[in-house]
Amino acid sequence: MASMSHLSFSRTTTTSPFFPPSQKPTNSKRHQVPKVTCKNNNNNGSHNNHLNSNAEKQPPPSSSNNNNILGNRRDVLIGLGGLYGSSTLTNNIINPFAFAAPLAPDLKTCGPPTLPAGAKPTKCCPPPSTTVKDFVFPQQNLPLRIRKPAQLVANDSEYVAKYKEAIRLMKSLPEDDPRNFTQQANVHCAYCHNSYHQVGFPNLDLQVHFSWIFFPFHRWYLYFYERMLGSLINDPSFALPYWNWDSPDGMEIPAIFTERNSPLYNELRNANHQPPTLVDLNWNKKDVDTSGNVDANLAIMYRQVYEARRARCFFGKPFRAGQEPYTVKVGSGTLELVPHNVVHSWTGDITQPNTENMGALYSAARDPIFYSHHANVDRMWSIWNSFNRKDIDDSDWLDSSFLFYDENKDLVRVKIRDCLDTKKLGYDFLDQPLPWTNAKPKPRRTKIERVVKPLTVTKSVQFPLKLEKIVSTVVNRPAKSRSKEDKEEKEETLVIEVEFDRRRGVKFDVLINEEEDAKFATPVNREFAGSFVNVSHVQTSISMITDTNFSIGITELLEDLGADDDDSVVVTLVPQYGEGVVIKDIKIDLETC
Ligand code: C2O
């Protein structure tokens, strides 16, 4: 087993944990911060892998061969405590059995993002601060801020006026004010473009997409943004509107964002997607008549939210301190891929080099619509909880932390565990009908059709496979005809290991028990199991090859297709757009997604 005993510390003397960006080492990804050195560092990759394999699993506390790791982990934490002077780490140090390795961003080494050659340099890091406060809950006896659907608030002229005024004020703050609109947009850029490294692991990036930290990071981000807007207009009840793309009345770009000359307007959006065009949650970069979108959109919502019963399916794979963000151990949850990523790509301006603003992660938050898109993403988490589904119960997740400036310009450290209840954060959502909870997709081919014309694919393809055309392959199942209890305990999961280039927008669809007619299957068909979607990052000459674990829970789908007693299934991949996708493996396993 890999051990962390290669690690040694040569700590730099650090008086303040934060210093201005001008004094920071130049390039984030390539500079070496001399805090943790690896004696055996002839190969950075293997160094990281060592850390990975340790960080990935949480061994039982009593396991004796973990003593080394525990000892070293404690050193790491003590090192952090020293550097950070953080009281929040004390628990881990006192309790040697707490093997927690929650993520934390290192503001001290925040560096420039990777940007297109020749682009105007953008500094995404926030202004420096000499202090960091631990989060304190807002006063609990105030009325809740109620987030309402954007199509509804459009009729409330008083609200719209306030919202515009708040954004106008935010845009007119001095450039270096952390509450300034561009600074707020850069918060997203920094957390998604490798500006931050992980505390204790200076060679490892902190990335808030592609894993289980996606939902909580964005919840916190909006929390502070919303409170800043409220404080700028002196209205603590101010709440962001949500883009209700899951419901037929909310599927257009909300009217409040389309009025030119409004501070809520942004020029860089897809000109073909203006109202009354309905959002296509299965957008393949082709615009067709959108009247049929409603059914497909609702079926997608059913599949991605209602059917994603397990926390790991819904939230994504674990991402713990010491892990590389771009490996097959990490992967997005259902909702992040679809519809979240699709709505980004659908909204961005296709004539821009990177479909800015919404269609690229570095620029997305420059469009005020971003925050309404994410208010709905955030609402989906609350709705998912309302179906009586439990959040992740893993201290590495719960104790992962982020840094944000608040409405008083104080830098605040927040933990995921403190954002699980929106009411404790002072807000809630106005209930709206959820027409997708009974929009379950139906099999395209009937049982009889399947008997009359059985599938012809009988072999598995060889991996790795460049995904350039429609491919079908047989995938064996580890178990069949399982009992109800067994199904409740373990989700049958289709696991696709994907290599792609983060610079590019990518989409491919996954069909089960469909083959040559694959192109006819749509999300209203049960055979359509899901899609892998990447929002483009940015055009740059530096390649951003990324591995990821794309998992789809298929227990219920196989029952609906009448395939539960079969030894194997046929999996068909349908590339829709984006080059450079390599499928490294496809398998089915029984795990919690
Ligand atoms: Cu951080 Cu919608 O992405």
Side-chain angles (χ1 to χ4, degrees):
M1 184 186 188
S3 111
M4 288 169 73
S5 56
H6 308 301
L7 287 177
S8 66
F9 280 86
S10 53
R11 274 169 47 195
T12 45
T13 335
T14 317
T15 42
S16 152
F18 312 111
F19 47 82
S22 57
Q23 292 171 31
K24 72 184 157 29
T26 47
N27 198 319
S28 58
K29 183 71 188 176
R30 282 144 297 274
H31 74 252
Q32 304 289 309
V33 182
K35 266 185 309 191
V36 180
T37 56
C38 180
K39 281 178 187 161
N40 185 13
N41 66 349
N42 49 348
N43 174 332
N44 245 342
S46 78
H47 165 205
N48 294 340
N49 288 339
H50 283 282
L51 298 177
N52 272 348
S53 45
N54 286 326
E56 171 61 14
K57 289 212 175 71
Q58 279 192 288
S62 56
S63 166
S64 60
N65 52 10
N66 291 319
N67 285 346
N68 249 348
I69 302 164
L70 283 173
N72 282 293
R73 178 61 57 112
R74 285 165 65 205
D75 288 347
V76 171
L77 292 170
I78 290 161
L80 304 185
L83 285 167
Y84 245 53
S86 161
S87 59
T88 54
L89 292 163
T90 323
N91 289 344
N92 296 321
I93 296 162
I94 292 171
N95 176 5
F97 297 120
F99 193 76
L103 282 165
D106 192 350
L107 185 60
K108 185 167 74 80
T109 60
C110 189
T114 350
L115 284 177
K120 208 170 111 209
T122 307
K123 287 195 214 102
C124 290
C125 296
S129 168
T130 47
T131 50
V132 55
K133 295 187 173 174
D134 281 320
F135 175 73
V136 184
F137 281 102
Q139 219 183 305
Q140 294 292 306
N141 52 3
L142 297 174
L144 293 172
R145 304 188 297 281
I146 302 295
R147 296 184 182 170
K148 297 178 181 162
Q151 76 276 13
L152 249 177
V153 299
N155 306 321
D156 178 346
S157 53
E158 199 187 319
Y159 172 86
V160 176
K162 272 193 200 171
Y163 186 21
K164 283 187 191 168
E165 178 61 2
I167 298 286
R168 192 190 65 77
L169 289 168
M170 196 178 232
K171 287 183 172 175
S172 59
L173 288 170
E175 249 176 61
D176 61 348
D177 187 315
R179 301 165 306 162
N180 170 290
F181 184 78
T182 304
Q183 289 279 354
Q184 283 298 298
N186 286 347
V187 168
H188 193 251
C189 167
Y191 275 105
C192 73
H193 269 273
N194 307 335
S195 287
Y196 287 116
H197 303 96
Q198 303 171 20
V199 164
F201 302 93
N203 296 323
L204 294 179
D205 293 328
L206 185 81
Q207 163 61 262
V208 294
H209 304 91
F210 313 123
S211 82
W212 70 3
I213 62 171
F214 169 78
F215 275 108
F217 167 81
H218 291 87
R219 173 166 287 179
W220 275 122
Y221 180 21
L222 258 63
Y223 168 82
F224 288 105
Y225 178 81
E226 180 176 82
R227 296 203 16 132
M228 282 174 188
L229 292 173
S231 100
L232 287 169
I233 52 169
N234 246 319
D235 178 359
S237 75
F238 175 80
L240 287 167
Y242 59 82
W243 180 0
N244 197 186
W245 34 246
D246 58 299
S247 172
D249 348 325
M251 287 179 186
E252 294 175 8
I253 289 188
I256 57 168
F257 295 107
T258 60
E259 182 200 328
R260 281 170 192 269
N261 305 324
S262 158
L264 303 178
Y265 181 71
N266 192 272
E267 220 172 349
L268 300 185
R269 293 187 193 136
N270 191 317
N272 298 329
H273 294 168
Q274 300 306 306
T277 305
L278 300 184
V279 70
D280 179 354
L281 302 184
N282 185 42
W283 193 53
N284 290 326
K285 300 214 164 167
K286 287 176 205 108
D287 290 317
V288 278
D289 170 25
T290 64
S291 54
N293 289 359
V294 171
D295 290 344
N297 289 349
L298 297 180
I300 287 171
M301 292 307 300
Y302 177 91
R303 201 185 64 210
Q304 302 297 97
V305 182
Y306 193 71
E307 200 170 42
R309 292 188 168 75
R310 289 158 203 276
R312 293 265 171 99
C313 297
F314 186 64
F315 287 89
K317 292 269 169 193
F319 178 30
R320 308 173 197 275
Q323 252 183 295
E324 276 272 14
Y326 308 120
T327 72
V328 293
K329 293 184 176 169
V330 186
S332 305
T334 53
L335 188 112
E336 181 188 348
L337 291 173
V338 180
H340 164 262
N341 285 355
V342 179
V343 173
H344 271 285
S345 306
W346 183 85
T347 310
D349 183 349
I350 205 139
T351 68
Q352 296 299 307
N354 308 290
T355 47
E356 285 91 348
N357 281 323
M358 278 284 277
L361 290 181
Y362 86 98
S363 55
R366 296 175 185 173
D367 185 339
I369 206 172
F370 171 93
Y371 304 90
S372 282
H373 174 35
H374 271 277
N376 207 37
V377 167
D378 193 40
R379 171 174 165 260
M380 287 305 139
W381 179 5
S382 284
I383 290 171
W384 185 85
N385 285 142
S386 76
F387 300 147
N388 205 11
R389 293 167 191 177
K390 301 275 172 290
D391 290 328
I392 293 165
D393 177 19
D394 180 315
S395 58
D396 286 353
W397 186 72
L398 293 165
D399 290 327
S400 283
S401 63
F402 309 106
L403 297 168
F404 292 97
Y405 277 97
D406 70 5
E407 69 278 15
N408 303 314
K409 302 199 265 183
D410 288 330
L411 188 66
V412 180
R413 178 189 294 116
V414 296
K415 285 187 171 186
I416 289 178
R417 66 168 67 251
D418 289 334
C419 77
L420 307 183
D421 181 352
T422 70
K423 294 197 183 83
K424 273 184 91 179
L425 296 179
Y427 74 93
D428 203 355
F429 300 90
L430 184 72
D431 278 345
Q432 283 290 287
L434 304 174
W436 40 269
T437 53
N438 46 33
K440 183 175 175 135
K442 307 222 165 29
R444 190 172 79 90
R445 302 203 306 153
T446 63
K447 248 190 171 158
I448 297 167
E449 279 173 328
R450 267 176 274 158
V451 173
V452 175
K453 192 168 175 262
L455 297 164
T456 58
V457 175
T458 53
K459 282 206 210 91
S460 302
V461 298
Q462 288 288 316
F463 299 107
L465 169 102
K466 265 191 159 186
L467 187 60
E468 285 162 335
K469 54 178 198 313
I470 297 178
V471 186
S472 296
T473 185
V474 170
V475 183
N476 290 323
R477 299 172 66 205
K480 61 177 183 178
S481 323
R482 292 188 296 144
S483 67
K484 199 165 168 263
E485 293 71 44
D486 198 57
K487 284 180 179 172
E488 242 142 58
E489 202 184 313
K490 294 181 197 128
E491 176 77 30
E492 182 160 354
T493 308
L494 181 67
V495 180
I496 307 177
E497 295 183 2
V498 186
E499 180 189 284
F500 65 106
D501 186 337
R502 270 189 341 281
R503 291 173 299 176
R504 299 211 171 96
V506 166
K507 182 172 184 281
F508 67 84
D509 303 328
V510 180
L511 312 175
I512 292 190
N513 290 355
E514 277 277 11
E515 42 185 16
E516 80 272 26
D517 301 342
K519 51 185 176 297
F520 300 119
T522 76
V524 299
N525 301 129
R526 189 74 275 210
E527 290 84 351
F528 197 112
S531 304
F532 179 80
V533 183
N534 182 51
V535 179
S536 84
H537 266 60
V538 88
Q539 280 185 350
T540 159
S541 50
I542 306 161
S543 115
M544 292 186 168
I545 296 300
T546 304
D547 283 348
T548 198
N549 178 313
F550 170 33
S551 300
I552 308 176
I554 53 171
T555 308
E556 194 176 311
L557 181 147
L558 293 182
E559 284 173 1
D560 296 345
L561 289 181
D564 200 26
D565 300 329
D566 299 349
D567 295 314
S568 61
V569 295
V570 170
V571 172
T572 296
L573 305 181
V574 185
Q576 295 292 358
Y577 61 78
E579 285 157 24
V581 175
V582 177
I583 305 299
K584 293 191 145 173
D585 199 11
I586 302 184
K587 55 182 186 265
I588 293 177
D589 60 27
L590 295 175
E591 51 165 21
T592 53
C593 204

XYZ file of all heavy atoms in Angstrom, residues 91-138:
348
model
N -9.845 19.658 16.105
C -10.489 18.382 16.372
C -9.750 17.227 15.736
O -9.557 16.187 16.334
C -11.916 18.372 15.809
C -12.790 19.288 16.629
O -12.398 19.664 17.729
N -13.931 19.638 16.097
N -9.327 17.440 14.529
C -8.648 16.375 13.824
C -7.324 16.034 14.492
O -6.873 14.911 14.443
C -8.381 16.783 12.379
C -9.679 16.995 11.643
O -10.614 16.247 11.841
N -9.720 18.010 10.822
N -6.715 17.023 15.061
C -5.414 16.788 15.655
C -5.578 16.079 16.992
O -4.870 15.143 17.303
C -4.661 18.128 15.831
C -4.406 18.712 14.441
C -3.359 17.927 16.572
C -4.073 20.173 14.443
N -6.594 16.472 17.737
C -6.804 15.853 19.037
C -7.248 14.398 18.863
O -6.803 13.516 19.557
C -7.867 16.628 19.842
C -7.286 17.994 20.215
C -8.243 15.882 21.113
C -8.281 18.942 20.809
N -8.096 14.180 17.929
C -8.621 12.832 17.750
C -7.840 12.112 16.657
O -8.053 12.329 15.478
C -10.100 12.907 17.367
C -10.658 11.532 17.068
O -9.959 10.531 17.232
N -11.888 11.488 16.622
N -6.905 11.223 17.080
C -6.054 10.592 16.070
C -6.824 9.652 15.166
O -6.329 9.239 14.136
C -5.030 9.834 16.907
C -5.680 9.605 18.230
C -6.629 10.741 18.432
N -8.050 9.302 15.545
C -8.806 8.371 14.711
C -9.648 9.081 13.673
O -10.261 8.458 12.825
C -9.674 7.463 15.583
C -8.843 6.615 16.489
C -8.971 6.699 17.858
C -7.892 5.752 15.955
C -8.171 5.928 18.690
C -7.098 4.980 16.784
C -7.227 5.066 18.154
N -9.696 10.371 13.788
C -10.453 11.099 12.771
C -9.584 11.158 11.524
O -8.576 11.836 11.476
C -10.771 12.501 13.257
N -9.959 10.381 10.539
C -9.141 10.306 9.349
C -9.614 11.317 8.308
O -9.433 11.175 7.131
C -9.202 8.885 8.783
C -8.156 8.638 7.752
C -6.848 8.428 8.114
C -8.501 8.640 6.401
C -5.883 8.217 7.147
C -7.527 8.426 5.440
C -6.207 8.211 5.811
N -10.302 12.313 8.778
C -10.919 13.245 7.849
C -9.884 13.986 7.025
O -8.861 14.402 7.534
C -11.756 14.246 8.620
N -10.158 14.094 5.751
C -9.310 14.900 4.902
C -10.210 15.772 4.049
O -10.328 15.584 2.859
C -8.416 14.013 4.046
N -10.898 16.682 4.708
C -11.793 17.547 3.935
C -10.998 18.549 3.110
O -9.899 18.937 3.481
C -12.612 18.254 5.014
C -11.825 18.140 6.271
C -10.893 16.980 6.146
N -11.550 18.940 2.021
C -10.893 19.894 1.133
C -10.947 21.307 1.696
O -11.911 21.669 2.350
C -11.642 19.940 -0.190
C -11.420 18.823 -1.178
C -12.526 18.881 -2.220
C -10.059 18.963 -1.844
N -9.930 22.079 1.371
C -9.960 23.502 1.698
C -9.117 24.236 0.663
O -8.081 23.728 0.248
C -9.411 23.728 3.093
N -9.539 25.408 0.235
C -8.749 26.160 -0.747
C -7.641 26.951 -0.044
O -7.837 27.442 1.058
C -9.773 27.134 -1.342
C -10.783 27.338 -0.263
C -10.797 26.091 0.584
N -6.502 27.058 -0.683
C -5.390 27.804 -0.114
C -5.338 29.171 -0.794
O -4.833 29.297 -1.911
C -4.095 27.017 -0.367
C -2.938 27.579 0.433
O -3.110 28.686 1.020
O -1.887 26.935 0.483
N -5.850 30.156 -0.114
C -5.904 31.492 -0.733
C -4.506 32.063 -0.936
O -4.244 32.815 -1.864
C -6.745 32.440 0.137
C -6.992 33.827 -0.447
C -7.737 33.735 -1.772
C -7.771 34.699 0.512
N -3.606 31.657 -0.045
C -2.240 32.170 -0.092
C -1.587 31.897 -1.451
O -0.784 32.692 -1.924
C -1.433 31.498 1.024
C -0.023 32.016 1.185
C 0.573 31.521 2.494
C 0.947 30.043 2.437
N 2.226 29.808 1.758
N -1.897 30.768 -2.039
C -1.239 30.428 -3.301
C -2.176 30.585 -4.492
O -1.922 30.038 -5.564
C -0.705 28.984 -3.275
O -1.814 28.101 -3.075
C 0.308 28.792 -2.172
N -3.250 31.330 -4.296
C -4.181 31.534 -5.412
C -3.411 32.156 -6.583
O -2.670 33.113 -6.408
C -5.323 32.451 -4.979
S -6.644 32.563 -6.204
N -3.570 31.576 -7.759
C -2.791 32.035 -8.907
C -3.679 32.330 -10.088
O -4.895 32.192 -10.031
N -3.042 32.746 -11.198
C -3.836 33.085 -12.384
C -4.497 31.856 -12.987
O -3.965 30.757 -12.904
C -2.811 33.672 -13.348
C -1.493 33.195 -12.872
C -1.608 32.866 -11.409
N -5.652 32.066 -13.606
C -6.312 30.943 -14.271
C -5.669 30.687 -15.621
O -4.932 31.534 -16.117
C -7.735 31.460 -14.457
C -7.565 32.939 -14.617
C -6.369 33.326 -13.792
N -5.935 29.561 -16.208
C -5.444 29.274 -17.549
C -6.395 29.930 -18.541
O -7.577 29.623 -18.542
C -5.452 27.756 -17.797
O -5.711 27.111 -16.562
C -4.159 27.294 -18.371
N -5.888 30.836 -19.342
C -6.760 31.586 -20.249
C -6.304 31.437 -21.695
O -5.193 30.988 -21.959
C -6.777 33.058 -19.850
C -7.619 33.375 -18.616
C -7.500 34.837 -18.281
C -9.082 32.999 -18.814
N -7.147 31.825 -22.642
C -6.786 31.674 -24.048
C -5.542 32.493 -24.378
O -5.364 33.579 -23.824
C -7.981 32.247 -24.798
C -9.037 32.484 -23.812
C -8.444 32.440 -22.458
N -4.751 31.964 -25.298
C -3.591 32.700 -25.760
C -4.070 34.043 -26.293
O -5.047 34.113 -27.033
C -2.890 31.906 -26.843
N -3.435 35.102 -25.880
C -3.772 36.418 -26.407
C -4.966 37.082 -25.737
O -5.295 38.221 -26.045
N -5.622 36.382 -24.829
C -6.776 36.991 -24.165
C -6.314 37.992 -23.119
O -5.206 37.895 -22.607
C -7.636 35.931 -23.497
N -7.183 38.921 -22.837
C -6.889 39.909 -21.810
C -6.679 39.165 -20.495
O -7.535 38.376 -20.081
C -8.093 40.844 -21.691
C -7.732 42.230 -21.225
C -8.930 43.160 -21.361
C -9.419 43.528 -19.977
N -10.802 43.832 -19.840
N -5.549 39.399 -19.826
C -5.331 38.632 -18.595
C -6.415 38.936 -17.567
O -6.799 40.077 -17.359
C -3.964 39.094 -18.110
C -3.541 40.196 -18.992
C -4.498 40.348 -20.115
N -6.920 37.905 -16.958
C -7.948 38.083 -15.944
C -7.378 37.531 -14.661
O -6.887 36.410 -14.631
C -9.197 37.246 -16.306
O -9.572 37.585 -17.621
C -10.340 37.510 -15.362
N -7.442 38.353 -13.640
C -7.034 37.819 -12.341
C -8.307 37.349 -11.672
O -9.210 38.134 -11.432
C -6.364 38.911 -11.515
C -4.990 39.261 -12.006
C -4.259 40.076 -10.933
C -3.347 41.111 -11.558
N -3.900 42.474 -11.530
N -8.377 36.093 -11.378
C -9.612 35.595 -10.771
C -9.545 35.588 -9.260
O -10.562 35.414 -8.601
C -9.925 34.198 -11.287
S -10.417 34.215 -13.009
N -8.346 35.724 -8.701
C -8.243 35.618 -7.245
C -8.883 36.829 -6.583
O -8.809 37.930 -7.102
C -6.783 35.530 -6.822
S -6.017 34.034 -7.445
N -9.473 36.608 -5.425
C -10.081 37.728 -4.714
C -9.018 38.640 -4.120
O -7.855 38.262 -4.023
C -10.882 37.037 -3.610
C -10.212 35.737 -3.397
C -9.630 35.342 -4.717
N -9.429 39.848 -3.690
C -8.465 40.738 -3.037
C -7.911 40.063 -1.778
O -8.585 39.217 -1.187
C -9.308 41.961 -2.651
C -10.596 41.835 -3.371
C -10.786 40.410 -3.729
N -6.697 40.434 -1.384
C -6.104 39.803 -0.194
C -6.805 40.247 1.083
O -7.456 41.279 1.123
C -4.665 40.301 -0.214
C -4.702 41.567 -1.000
C -5.828 41.435 -1.985
N -6.647 39.446 2.113
C -7.199 39.803 3.418
C -6.259 39.282 4.473
O -5.631 38.240 4.300
C -8.572 39.148 3.584
O -8.982 39.262 4.926
N -6.124 39.994 5.566
C -5.207 39.525 6.609
C -5.919 38.627 7.610
O -5.292 37.987 8.429
C -4.588 40.711 7.376
O -5.659 41.595 7.714
C -3.555 41.431 6.531
N -7.225 38.609 7.559
C -7.947 37.791 8.531
C -8.976 36.924 7.820
O -9.413 37.237 6.723
C -8.734 38.666 9.531
O -9.487 39.613 8.773
C -7.837 39.352 10.514
N -9.332 35.854 8.472
C -10.428 35.041 7.960
C -11.313 34.669 9.143
O -10.837 34.292 10.207
C -9.914 33.798 7.189
C -8.966 32.964 8.017
C -11.065 32.944 6.691
N -12.598 34.879 8.962
C -13.539 34.585 10.054
C -14.205 33.251 9.800
O -14.433 32.886 8.643
C -14.637 35.645 10.095
C -14.143 37.026 10.443
C -15.320 37.973 10.633
C -14.817 39.318 11.165
N -15.890 40.319 11.224
N -14.565 32.563 10.865
C -15.371 31.365 10.684
C -16.828 31.781 10.547
O -17.266 32.749 11.162
C -15.180 30.394 11.855
C -13.873 29.614 11.698
O -13.564 29.227 10.538
O -13.150 29.429 12.696
N -17.553 31.060 9.749
C -18.942 31.404 9.459
C -19.816 31.382 10.710
O -19.694 30.490 11.549
C -19.511 30.421 8.434
C -20.972 30.620 8.154
C -21.412 31.703 7.411
C -21.916 29.729 8.660
C -22.761 31.899 7.161
C -23.268 29.914 8.414
C -23.697 31.000 7.668
N -20.674 32.366 10.828
C -21.674 32.392 11.895
C -23.043 32.459 11.218
O -23.230 33.237 10.273
C -21.495 33.647 12.785
C -22.474 33.623 13.953
C -20.065 33.767 13.272
N -23.981 31.663 11.684
C -25.323 31.680 11.083
C -25.960 33.056 11.230
O -25.748 33.729 12.232
C -26.226 30.630 11.745
C -25.963 29.252 11.241
C -25.214 28.356 11.980
C -26.441 28.852 9.999
C -24.949 27.082 11.501
C -26.179 27.575 9.514
C -25.432 26.694 10.269
N -26.751 33.428 10.230
C -27.448 34.713 10.350
C -28.491 34.609 11.455
O -28.888 33.515 11.850
C -28.110 34.890 8.985
C -28.245 33.514 8.428
C -27.101 32.728 8.981
